[in-house]
Amino acid sequence: MLASAQCRTNKQIAGALALSVRQVQRLKKALREEGPVGLAHGNRGSEAVHALPEEVAVRVLELYETKYTGFNFSHFHEKLLEAEGIRISRPTVGRVLRRAGYRSPRKRRPAKHRSRRERRACEGAMLQLDGSPHDWLEGRGPRICLLGAIDDATGKVVGSVFRQWEDAQGYFLVMRHVVSCYGIPETVYRDRHGIFERDPKQEEAIWEQLEGKRATTQFGRLMEELGIGQIAANSPQAKGRIERLWGTFQDRLVSELRLANACTIEEANQVLKTVVIEHNQKFHRQPQDPKSVYRKPGKEIDLGQLFCFKYKRSVAMDNTVTFFGTTIQIEPGPARRSYARCLVDVHEQFDGSLRIYYQAKCTAKTQPPAVPPSVIRVRHSNGRYTQECQWTAPQETPKPKATALLLPAQPNTTKPNKPAADHPWRRPWVTKSQTSKG
């Protein structure tokens, strides 16, 4: 090639090979002394100075195949640094695992074009609420649901709890933790689950038609009493921050639960507390405005009186209130001697006790059971429990209609019975007057 290009001098060869004149001189000297082998780089075939030791690569692969099976590459790299003391870079971990044929279990979907909604400027301006039913325990225990709340401005998980299913009591526990630890937020962004709002297709009661408004759910009543606004999302993508949180937790939290060998809801909630703290430390971001708009509840607010299920009842003539099989006696008080026919509020506390309120004053209460119930569900007026805060009538199986057995018509073979000649019907009719004349 150089001969055809008529490169005779070192400068011409350097220009053709894009090298310096000194480099060309060095290559020509190596070619004369060592032959074509002298043109190869001197480090060819030797191990790099910063190469990963083979024993470290074997140890990393062994940990991934045994203790940290199913972890994504980034999560696994964090565990190597924090728990195992192996300090290598994240790309190196990926190269070791990919060379062994592993791929990160975290799926990456192609991006879709969507309009971006800017974060709220202040912390506490809006919370996103949602639940995620998932096989969190991977068959080691029951299938459970994770309920959580995330701050829109900072991405901080401000409340979370594992429940048997997505229920109203779980959201009450999440909101009580938020109010106790942070304060009362301005708004909550949630979906249109029956826990948050009633089905618009559900028939209105007579009193709802008279008042011109629909009754709220237990959660809606709580939001009204706390002064929290509600925004209903029309799609999961609208509350994408908490949806992405579920994607992260279904990867990292599932791995942590497997590492801790959690098999029950109680054990899962213990692991959840640690994971949430670590998650907030790593993924928390500073808000645009450092001012927080959380409102601290006043000392006069009794959280136990708010975070409970409330029902309306009418007092009987003997000053008793019946609540789904439990009869509560109301004693005479300083305000009035008899509460007969009064409309009172029954508060079902989450410890299993009941409280009767009349005009915001507690008039009677029951003691909680020795073993508090783990789940308290919203009830309908007929005593049925409902998982969503709204009641739907059970679908009765229609009974098959009785069909008459049709028999073929039989000929009438019965002869008419004619009375005898001396039968009373054949005698002439004689009245009493005619008998007396004769």
Side-chain angles (χ1 to χ4, degrees), residues 30-220:
L31 180 62
R32 288 193 300 267
E33 295 178 356
E34 304 177 15
V37 180
L39 299 177
H41 196 279
N43 291 336
R44 177 178 293 184
S46 61
E47 186 177 356
V49 178
H50 301 289
L52 182 69
E54 187 63 26
E55 58 272 14
V56 177
V58 172
R59 177 59 177 166
V60 169
L61 190 60
E62 179 184 356
L63 288 172
Y64 189 79
E65 292 176 344
T66 55
K67 187 176 180 179
Y68 299 102
T69 302
F71 279 52
N72 68 60
F73 289 179
S74 296
H75 196 188
F76 177 54
H77 172 248
E78 295 173 5
K79 287 298 178 181
L80 291 178
L81 298 177
E82 299 171 0
E84 305 298 334
I86 301 178
R87 307 193 64 82
I88 56 178
S89 65
R90 161 65 181 81
T92 302
V93 174
R95 284 195 298 269
V96 172
L97 296 180
R98 281 192 294 269
R99 186 173 59 189
Y102 291 102
R103 294 293 181 270
S104 183
R106 183 73 183 273
K107 302 298 182 182
R108 304 290 179 179
R109 295 183 180 180
K112 297 182 180 180
H113 179 270
R114 299 186 185 276
S115 299
R116 180 178 179 83
R117 180 183 63 81
E118 295 297 331
R119 292 177 180 265
R120 294 298 177 96
C122 299
E123 187 176 8
M126 186 172 70
L127 302 184
Q128 294 190 13
L129 287 176
D130 197 21
S132 176
H134 183 67
D135 187 15
W136 296 98
L137 302 179
E138 298 180 309
R140 299 184 304 275
R143 186 180 179 89
I144 54 181
C145 181
L146 176 60
L147 308 183
I150 185 174
D151 191 278
D152 186 74
T154 62
K156 180 191 295 185
V157 181
V158 293
S160 59
V161 64
F162 276 114
R163 300 288 293 175
Q164 294 181 4
W165 47 73
E166 189 174 4
D167 62 342
Q169 185 185 8
Y171 283 110
F172 272 55
L173 297 177
V174 171
M175 289 304 302
R176 179 158 188 171
H177 181 269
V178 173
V179 173
S180 301
C181 298
Y182 299 92
I184 303 174
E186 289 185 348
T187 58
V188 294
Y189 201 23
R190 41 78 176 175
D191 55 22
R192 298 183 180 273
H193 196 282
I195 294 175
F196 307 118
E197 62 182 36
R198 294 182 57 188
D199 186 358
K201 299 180 181 179
Q202 186 176 354
E203 185 178 357
E204 294 183 356
I206 296 178
W207 69 269
E208 292 177 328
Q209 298 176 9
L210 294 176
E211 294 185 1
K213 66 176 184 178
R214 294 182 65 86
T216 60
T217 62
Q218 293 285 350
F219 186 86

Side-chain angles (χ1 to χ4, degrees), residues 241-281:
R241 287 175 180 55
I242 196 167
E243 294 293 343
R244 287 190 292 272
L245 174 67
W246 297 147
T248 302
F249 274 5
Q250 288 176 9
D251 180 19
R252 289 173 171 260
L253 180 55
V254 168
S255 300
E256 294 288 352
L257 292 171
R258 185 191 319 120
L259 189 61
N261 195 27
C263 302
T264 62
I265 293 183
E266 293 75 14
E267 296 174 352
N269 279 317
Q270 292 297 326
V271 177
L272 177 63
K273 295 178 181 178
T274 306
V275 173
V276 167
I277 294 175
E278 296 177 354
H279 178 275
N280 290 337
Q281 292 175 351

